Amino acid sequence: MMTTVPASLESLHVLYQSNDYIVVDKHWDIRIDSKMWYEKHTVQAQLRHHFPQLADPSTYYGFRFCHQLDFSTSGALCVALNKAAAGQAYRCFKDRTVTKAYLALIRGWVEEQIQTLDFSIGKNSTEGKTHMMCIEGTEGCENPKPCQTELTVLQYGLYDGDPVTKVLLQPLTGRTHQLRVHCSAIGHPIVGDFTYSSGTDNAPYRMMLHAHFLHIPLEPEPLLVSAGDPFVPMVDPKWLPQRSVRTLSATVEALLEQRVEEDRKLQEDVRERMRRDQERKKHSKEQRTKEESEEQRKQCQQWLSEWAGD
């Protein structure tokens, strides 16, 4: 299904479907939703075209999108099919228990193969750049907030003759344009990112950022979806890998195992806090009972004394 052909109403690729959710492989250069008459090709329009019976007239766009992907970003996008499902997914995103991983081709060869990008990101207030974000300390950066991304190198190679690195990016926070700004901040902007290259990187047919992996710990069954890898020579012959550092499958598997271990520890911490709370309540109750018993003993002695005096 991966192609360099632009999006159309027919080109909707469904990765997963249940009674509660649909996960689609969003096309590059397409908006999720829009009320503008000239926006003919959106994910919203594609869903209405393929699944008119699933549209919910009580919602603004007809479908409940659980999260966002930039116009230029492709990959796994989750849509809730009812209010309860949307609420459950929302809580997972709010509690930061969702695991997302993106594939990207970035300019240059990255030396440090595993690193955490830690740059606070804020809104750019500079004239002509208000549609952009920026890192703390740069001119015009307003209200920067903490932001972290894990970067793992997968391959080194060439794109159209220029050195590039294929990486897996895991956002630990969810700021606007986070991955694009972080990659640009370390001097390795994403291939084809017109906005964060000051309009110079316009030769590639798309921006090379793809939401590859999505894990939402829903109950009773978690949602786990992979949207494949569009950055292979078979899809785009301009990309020529030269040296592999680690495989994509092993890297994602390790990421998921790490998340499972973190969730296990978190659950243990919750259980331990509950146990301590119960012990404190029990001790408090026993203390109150002891105090009440002592008070009753004193009252009984007083009554006996008064009775004996009578």
Side-chain angles (χ1 to χ4, degrees), residues 232-281:
V232 293
M234 187 180 299
V235 175
D236 188 356
K238 290 185 177 181
W239 160 236
L240 181 62
Q242 292 187 322
R243 180 165 71 92
S244 294
V245 178
R246 52 183 57 83
T247 66
L248 174 59
S249 58
T251 305
V252 170
E253 184 177 348
L255 185 157
L256 187 57
E257 287 176 356
Q258 177 185 348
R259 188 59 192 241
V260 169
E261 179 63 17
E262 290 173 353
D263 289 345
R264 185 188 65 78
K265 290 182 179 179
L266 181 62
Q267 291 173 359
E268 285 183 354
D269 290 344
V270 170
R271 285 195 292 268
E272 179 64 17
R273 285 198 298 271
M274 291 176 63
R275 185 186 66 79
R276 289 177 181 175
D277 287 344
Q278 289 174 350
E279 285 185 353
R280 281 196 294 268
K281 290 178 181 178

Side-chain angles (χ1 to χ4, degrees), residues 140-157:
C141 189
E142 290 187 348
N143 192 28
K145 296 180 180 179
C147 209
Q148 296 83 35
T149 300
E150 295 285 352
L151 180 151
T152 304
V153 171
L154 300 175
Q155 290 179 313
Y156 296 106

Side-chain angles (χ1 to χ4, degrees), residues 44 76 130 180 186 214 257 298:
Q44 167 205 8
T130 54
R180 301 164 67 181
I186 61 171
L214 178 65
E257 287 176 356
K298 289 179 180 179

Side-chain angles (χ1 to χ4, degrees), residues 108-271:
W109 288 339
V110 180
E111 292 185 7
E112 191 175 349
Q113 294 182 358
I114 298 178
Q115 56 181 300
T116 300
L117 312 183
D118 192 352
F119 301 93
S120 294
I121 292 179
K123 183 77 174 175
N124 197 330
S125 63
T126 305
E127 186 177 356
K129 296 184 178 181
T130 54
H131 61 294
M132 299 172 63
M133 306 297 285
C134 52
I135 62 170
E136 187 175 20
T138 57
E139 183 181 358
C141 189
E142 290 187 348
N143 192 28
K145 296 180 180 179
C147 209
Q148 296 83 35
T149 300
E150 295 285 352
L151 180 151
T152 304
V153 171
L154 300 175
Q155 290 179 313
Y156 296 106
L158 302 174
Y159 187 85
D160 205 14
D162 296 323
V164 301
T165 306
K166 185 175 183 177
V167 297
L168 190 74
L169 301 170
Q170 183 191 1
L172 304 183
T173 49
R175 309 298 181 202
T176 302
H177 296 180
Q178 174 177 324
L179 304 181
R180 301 164 67 181
V181 174
H182 273 178
C183 288
S184 179
I186 61 171
H188 297 283
I190 295 173
V191 174
D193 190 345
F194 183 82
T195 300
Y196 291 97
S197 67
S198 300
T200 60
D201 199 348
N202 58 0
Y205 74 97
R206 60 162 292 179
M207 182 179 73
M208 306 300 175
L209 181 61
H210 177 73
H212 167 72
F213 177 83
L214 178 65
H215 176 259
I216 308 177
L218 302 168
E219 295 291 348
E221 290 292 331
L223 188 152
L224 176 60
V225 177
S226 171
D229 179 3
F231 307 136
V232 293
M234 187 180 299
V235 175
D236 188 356
K238 290 185 177 181
W239 160 236
L240 181 62
Q242 292 187 322
R243 180 165 71 92
S244 294
V245 178
R246 52 183 57 83
T247 66
L248 174 59
S249 58
T251 305
V252 170
E253 184 177 348
L255 185 157
L256 187 57
E257 287 176 356
Q258 177 185 348
R259 188 59 192 241
V260 169
E261 179 63 17
E262 290 173 353
D263 289 345
R264 185 188 65 78
K265 290 182 179 179
L266 181 62
Q267 291 173 359
E268 285 183 354
D269 290 344
V270 170
R271 285 195 292 268

Side-chain angles (χ1 to χ4, degrees), residues 88-118:
Q88 189 179 7
Y90 170 77
R91 284 190 294 274
C92 292
F93 279 96
K94 182 175 181 292
D95 295 339
R96 295 186 180 180
T97 58
V98 175
T99 303
K100 296 185 287 184
Y102 293 71
L103 282 168
L105 297 182
I106 60 179
R107 295 288 180 185
W109 288 339
V110 180
E111 292 185 7
E112 191 175 349
Q113 294 182 358
I114 298 178
Q115 56 181 300
T116 300
L117 312 183
D118 192 352

